[in-house]
Amino acid sequence: MRQSRRRFLKQTGISAAAAHFAMNLPSLALGAESTNRKRLVIVFSPNGVIPDHFWPTVGKKENEAAIEFKRILKPLEPFRDQTVTMHGLCNQIKGDGDGHMRGIGCLLTGVELFPGDIQGGSDTPAGWSQGISIDQFLKNQLQADAKTRTRFGSLEFGVMVPDRADTWTRMSYSGPNQPVAPIDDPYKMFDKLYGQAKNRELLASVLDDLTDDFRKLEKMVSVEDRRLLEQHQALVRKVEKDLKVELAAQTTQIGHAVPELPPNVEDQNDNMPEITRMQIELLVNSFAADFARIATFQITNSVGGAKMRWLDINEGHHAISHEPDSNEKSYEQLIQINTWYCEQVAMLAQRLSDTPEPGGEGSMLDHTTIIWTNELGKGNSHTRDNIPFVLVGGGLGIQGNRAIDFKRTPHNRFLMTIAERMGFPQASFGNPDFCGDGVLTGV
């Protein structure tokens, strides 16, 4: 049946970009799962947090527990009822590599790094992770079932991730020694999703082609699916407009190379807020079209040195994170930096909340969980205890408005919990030595 549907759509003369979307519409994708979709987005920001201004306090309000968001998490206040903080989850993986390398390389895999030749600080050199990451594991499980299979399975977004491939720049792994590179250029991601934008100059024609295709599809689908088509078309139009604006801005600018960084990084650095927003639009767009149900969103990298000049901070993030807490200026700057990262998570949550669930009830946020995390608990100590894990959304079915303390629990058990909540329980995930107590309780 699926082949005959493809042949039917081909006979209508619509483009490949529109066909990929149409195949997921309930009216045309026979047997496809149109409701009860579970989605997961893992958002990464680097260099630890300021614990006293990050972790909520728990008090009492009318005889009920009530959490109080500190400065860094204030942007998530509108999503309080769908937000959970998980304190006390610790990355206890030992072995080769420095703290940052094991922080990001073991974060989603829960297993040691291979020995290698990447030297970090005074620690032993290391290579890639020895296992698959939770996002790629879930992708494989979903793709194995025709009812949950999507065009891409997973999408790996990045923002200002260095071109170099090393242990500090990769958190996603398709298997042992198999890092997955994020796409941090929104134009390349647009090409991946729609396949028609061969370069930036062709963007103007993409929407016109899709608009014609959508007109043809309107005659073939239900009233409900027409609404989905209109929503998707609006999203595509907004993304293309943003991309055109960015292109016009870049063509009038002169590149300013930063001596200590590879070429063009400064251009990306200064446009980091805009690029982040563009990637968020593409991510929400891809989820609405059911191109994927798993995504990672890696903002810079472990030891990321973004210079947040839009916050009036000219020093690199990583350098600031090494300053002692007694340095009041750096301390305040780190609070501002982490608050900005939280604002990006809140922006993603808002866009998902504003988008109705295709073929289902509520919003897309009701069916999606965002997990915001980090490679370190605190930057200047390089601790991997109390790794930040903040959950927003209803995809995993975890009750919100809570601050849970797991008291030095291996984060492997959280990875197992994610797998179970997505419908694929595992006896262990990563190093089994840290999985003996099973999934987390009390969530």
Side-chain angles (χ1 to χ4, degrees), residues 195-208:
Q196 293 197 19
K198 303 301 181 183
N199 54 52
R200 295 178 182 183
E201 286 70 28
L202 290 178
L203 286 175
S205 66
V206 174
L207 183 59
D208 290 339

Side-chain angles (χ1 to χ4, degrees), residues 33-284:
E33 181 192 38
S34 60
T35 58
N36 299 321
R37 295 171 182 167
K38 294 181 180 181
R39 306 185 194 86
L40 182 71
V41 186
I42 301 175
V43 179
F44 171 89
S45 60
N47 303 323
V49 297
I50 300 296
D52 289 345
H53 295 276
F54 182 88
W55 296 107
T57 56
V58 181
K60 288 286 187 180
K61 183 178 181 181
E62 299 179 355
N63 298 320
E64 293 184 359
I67 64 173
E68 178 187 347
F69 285 142
K70 300 293 185 64
R71 279 182 62 187
I72 294 172
L73 294 187
K74 279 291 185 182
L76 290 175
E77 190 70 49
F79 308 100
R80 164 185 294 275
D81 290 342
Q82 289 182 290
T83 298
V84 182
T85 62
M86 294 187 164
H87 184 270
L89 295 178
C90 306
N91 180 351
Q92 299 182 8
I93 305 301
K94 308 297 183 182
D96 296 317
D98 67 16
H100 284 282
M101 294 163 73
R102 276 180 281 142
I104 190 170
C106 311
L107 180 65
L108 304 184
T109 65
V111 71
E112 291 76 9
L113 304 176
F114 280 113
D117 56 4
I118 304 297
Q119 180 66 53
S122 60
D123 297 273
T124 56
W128 304 119
S129 178
Q130 296 186 26
I132 192 170
S133 55
I134 187 65
D135 58 304
Q136 295 300 300
F137 166 80
L138 293 172
K139 167 189 176 178
N140 292 344
Q141 301 304 308
L142 292 170
Q143 293 298 85
D145 187 340
K147 293 182 179 180
T148 55
R149 189 177 303 139
T150 56
R151 180 183 172 192
F152 295 108
S154 69
L155 290 166
E156 292 71 43
F157 292 82
V159 175
M160 206 179 127
V161 179
D163 288 337
R164 70 178 193 272
D166 57 37
T167 319
W168 294 286
T169 66
R170 302 291 184 264
M171 71 173 182
S172 183
Y173 288 82
S174 60
N177 222 23
Q178 299 176 54
V180 178
I183 297 175
D184 66 350
D185 182 339
Y187 304 102
K188 291 181 180 178
M189 183 59 79
F190 192 91
D191 288 351
K192 178 182 176 80
L193 293 175
Y194 296 102
Q196 293 197 19
K198 303 301 181 183
N199 54 52
R200 295 178 182 183
E201 286 70 28
L202 290 178
L203 286 175
S205 66
V206 174
L207 183 59
D208 290 339
D209 292 343
L210 287 176
T211 300
D212 291 341
D213 292 336
F214 288 163
R215 288 198 190 101
K216 297 175 183 176
L217 286 171
E218 285 176 353
K219 302 174 183 178
M220 311 175 196
V221 299
S222 65
V223 173
E224 173 67 15
D225 282 350
R226 282 193 212 110
R227 184 177 64 84
L228 296 180
L229 281 170
E230 291 171 357
Q231 292 172 358
H232 190 66
Q233 186 175 357
L235 285 167
V236 172
R237 181 181 292 109
K238 188 176 189 304
V239 169
E240 185 182 6
K241 180 179 178 182
D242 292 342
L243 292 172
K244 286 181 180 178
V245 170
E246 180 68 12
L247 172 60
Q250 288 191 357
T251 55
T252 59
Q253 292 174 351
I254 300 174
H256 301 280
V258 179
E260 70 272 21
L261 295 175
N264 301 321
V265 169
E266 185 180 72
D267 182 47
Q268 290 183 335
N269 185 103
D270 291 342
N271 287 317
M272 192 170 160
E274 178 65 13
I275 292 171
T276 302
R277 188 180 65 82
M278 291 164 68
Q279 293 284 59
I280 286 174
E281 289 297 326
L282 288 168
L283 193 160
V284 174

Side-chain angles (χ1 to χ4, degrees), residues 47 303-306 315-324 327 330 333-334 380:
N47 303 323
V303 305
E315 299 84 359
H317 181 191
H318 179 240
I320 299 172
S321 74
H322 275 258
E323 292 296 318
N327 186 327
S330 296
Q333 287 177 330
L334 289 171
N380 57 13

Side-chain angles (χ1 to χ4, degrees), residues 341-354:
Y341 281 126
C342 187
E343 289 171 352
Q344 311 317 299
V345 176
M347 185 192 308
L348 173 58
Q350 188 65 60
R351 289 294 295 111
L352 290 168
S353 179
D354 290 342

